[in-house]
Amino acid sequence: MPLDEMLVFARVVEHQSFAGAALQLGLTTSAVSRSVGRLEAHFGLRLLQRTTRSLSLTEAGAEIHQACLRLVEDAQAVQALAGQLRQQPRGLLKISAPAVLGDLWLSPLLPGFCARWPEVQVQVDMTDRMVDLVAEGLDLGLRISVPGQIAPGLVARPLKTIRYVLVATPGYLAQHAQITEPGQLLAHPFISLGYGQFQNEVELRPQRAGHQPAAPATRLLVNTPITIASSLGIIQALQQGPGIGVVADFAAQAALQAGQLAPVLPGWALCGKYAPRVVHAVYAPTRHVPLKLRALIDYLVEVEGDGAAAPAT
């Protein structure tokens, strides 16, 4: 359908002149006349009776003009809706997040986001597989990664840093000599994250304040009778049996605060394969980031407090 010509035709009838329509539309009078001519040719009908002094609708033109008016009204409604969408986040956001991160970190934050932006609905898919955002129709993915690991072709915004920590139950630690040096870990069974780079190789270096140079790392191959590909699973296992676990800090936070777990070697930082990672919000590049997506990313950075990138634009 020649939609542009139909809109021009509606303006010509409204102003009862080609010149008046041209002035409103920012076109030349001859361009408006040619547009109406193309519309008549498309329908094979004469729509206007033209004289040197006036314009009038033919019978067919009057009927088509009513349809064109509805088109103008629809176009105005679409423009008004676009204006509202630019001002107020709204609509459905589809998100993919790793299971434990989604359960323990993302999910508790969503009610606050929806309270702030009640016209946005959020749908979260919890999965540890690497999803194709475009192919699966997702607006946003959360990825836990090291530098350079984000797939090319995606926009990435850092949200939070994840550090891995050593933990054990207070009861287990009370039954053994205090652990003050990394080498003492070799006498204890471990439950580690048994996927990707993690495995049973543990490197630690003492934490240094300020800008002091990093100390050499101590590398250990610890005894791991159990490996579980989930920090939450490791925490559950530690509650049932003896040993030390290597888990993500956000997953252990609640158990540490409740006194169900205690840190092991808190003055040492894991590095190497258990070096800190960054949670990124990733999305397909677009000329204009939807307001609902920008609002969610900005909210997650705000509540976390350690996002380092500039706001999405």
Side-chain angles (χ1 to χ4, degrees), residues 90-111:
R90 65 179 66 204
L92 177 64
L93 268 175
K94 294 184 177 181
I95 305 171
S96 171
V100 175
L101 182 74
D103 284 334
L104 298 183
W105 180 73
L106 177 64
S107 295
L109 300 179
L110 294 179

Side-chain angles (χ1 to χ4, degrees), residues 17-63:
S17 75
F18 290 103
L23 183 63
Q24 182 183 26
L25 296 170
L27 302 172
T28 63
T29 302
S30 59
V32 169
S33 179
R34 289 195 299 271
S35 179
V36 173
R38 287 193 297 271
L39 187 63
E40 291 179 321
H42 175 80
F43 290 126
L45 297 168
R46 190 167 186 79
L47 305 178
L48 291 171
Q49 297 288 358
R50 303 169 176 84
T51 69
T52 56
R53 295 187 178 183
S54 66
L55 291 173
S56 62
L57 287 165
T58 65
E59 183 178 356
E63 293 189 26

Side-chain angles (χ1 to χ4, degrees), residues 4-313:
D4 290 343
E5 282 75 11
M6 293 174 72
L7 292 172
V8 171
F9 173 61
R11 294 306 181 199
V12 170
V13 176
E14 176 187 349
H15 291 278
Q16 288 292 296
S17 75
F18 290 103
L23 183 63
Q24 182 183 26
L25 296 170
L27 302 172
T28 63
T29 302
S30 59
V32 169
S33 179
R34 289 195 299 271
S35 179
V36 173
R38 287 193 297 271
L39 187 63
E40 291 179 321
H42 175 80
F43 290 126
L45 297 168
R46 190 167 186 79
L47 305 178
L48 291 171
Q49 297 288 358
R50 303 169 176 84
T51 69
T52 56
R53 295 187 178 183
S54 66
L55 291 173
S56 62
L57 287 165
T58 65
E59 183 178 356
E63 293 189 26
I64 289 177
H65 175 244
Q66 292 302 312
C68 291
L69 285 179
R70 290 193 293 271
L71 180 66
V72 170
E73 291 173 357
D74 289 343
Q76 290 171 338
V78 169
Q79 186 171 1
L81 177 60
Q84 293 173 3
L85 291 173
R86 287 195 299 269
Q87 297 171 7
Q88 178 79 8
R90 65 179 66 204
L92 177 64
L93 268 175
K94 294 184 177 181
I95 305 171
S96 171
V100 175
L101 182 74
D103 284 334
L104 298 183
W105 180 73
L106 177 64
S107 295
L109 300 179
L110 294 179
F113 170 75
C114 290
R116 179 179 296 185
W117 303 114
E119 295 187 61
V120 179
Q121 301 83 46
V122 181
Q123 178 180 308
V124 184
D125 176 31
M126 307 287 194
T127 177
D128 291 324
R129 66 183 176 86
M130 189 66 68
V131 300
D132 185 323
L133 298 178
V134 175
E136 300 190 30
L138 297 168
D139 299 291
L140 181 72
L142 298 187
R143 303 276 171 83
I144 302 174
S145 61
V146 296
Q149 204 175 45
I150 297 296
L154 293 175
V155 181
R157 176 94 180 269
L159 299 178
K160 72 183 271 81
T161 300
I162 291 178
R163 294 174 175 82
Y164 294 90
V165 293
L166 302 177
V167 294
T169 63
Y172 176 77
L173 294 177
Q175 295 172 9
H176 298 82
Q178 184 178 7
I179 302 172
T180 58
E181 296 292 334
Q184 295 172 285
L185 296 173
L186 296 175
H188 298 268
F190 264 70
I191 306 177
S192 66
L193 289 163
Y195 65 94
Q197 295 182 342
F198 294 116
Q199 308 305 325
N200 68 333
E201 183 179 278
V202 174
E203 290 184 58
L204 301 103
R205 59 167 48 99
Q207 298 187 37
R208 297 298 181 98
H211 299 284
Q212 297 182 35
T218 299
R219 180 179 301 177
L220 304 168
L221 291 178
V222 294
N223 174 30
T224 54
I226 301 174
T227 60
I228 301 175
S230 164
S231 290
L232 192 57
I234 291 174
I235 292 170
Q236 295 296 322
L238 288 174
Q239 305 293 331
Q240 304 302 319
I244 296 172
V246 188
V247 298
D249 56 358
F250 74 89
Q253 182 177 0
L256 288 169
Q257 291 175 344
Q260 298 169 340
L261 292 177
V264 177
L265 291 177
W268 292 72
L270 285 164
C271 54
K273 294 179 179 179
Y274 286 93
R277 285 162 168 73
V278 176
V279 178
H280 286 91
V282 300
Y283 55 93
T286 178
R287 184 175 180 181
H288 298 291
V289 178
L291 192 54
K292 60 183 179 180
L293 177 57
R294 184 166 68 244
L296 176 62
I297 295 174
D298 289 345
Y299 177 81
L300 294 177
V301 171
E302 173 191 329
V303 296
E304 180 57 32
D306 70 351
T313 56

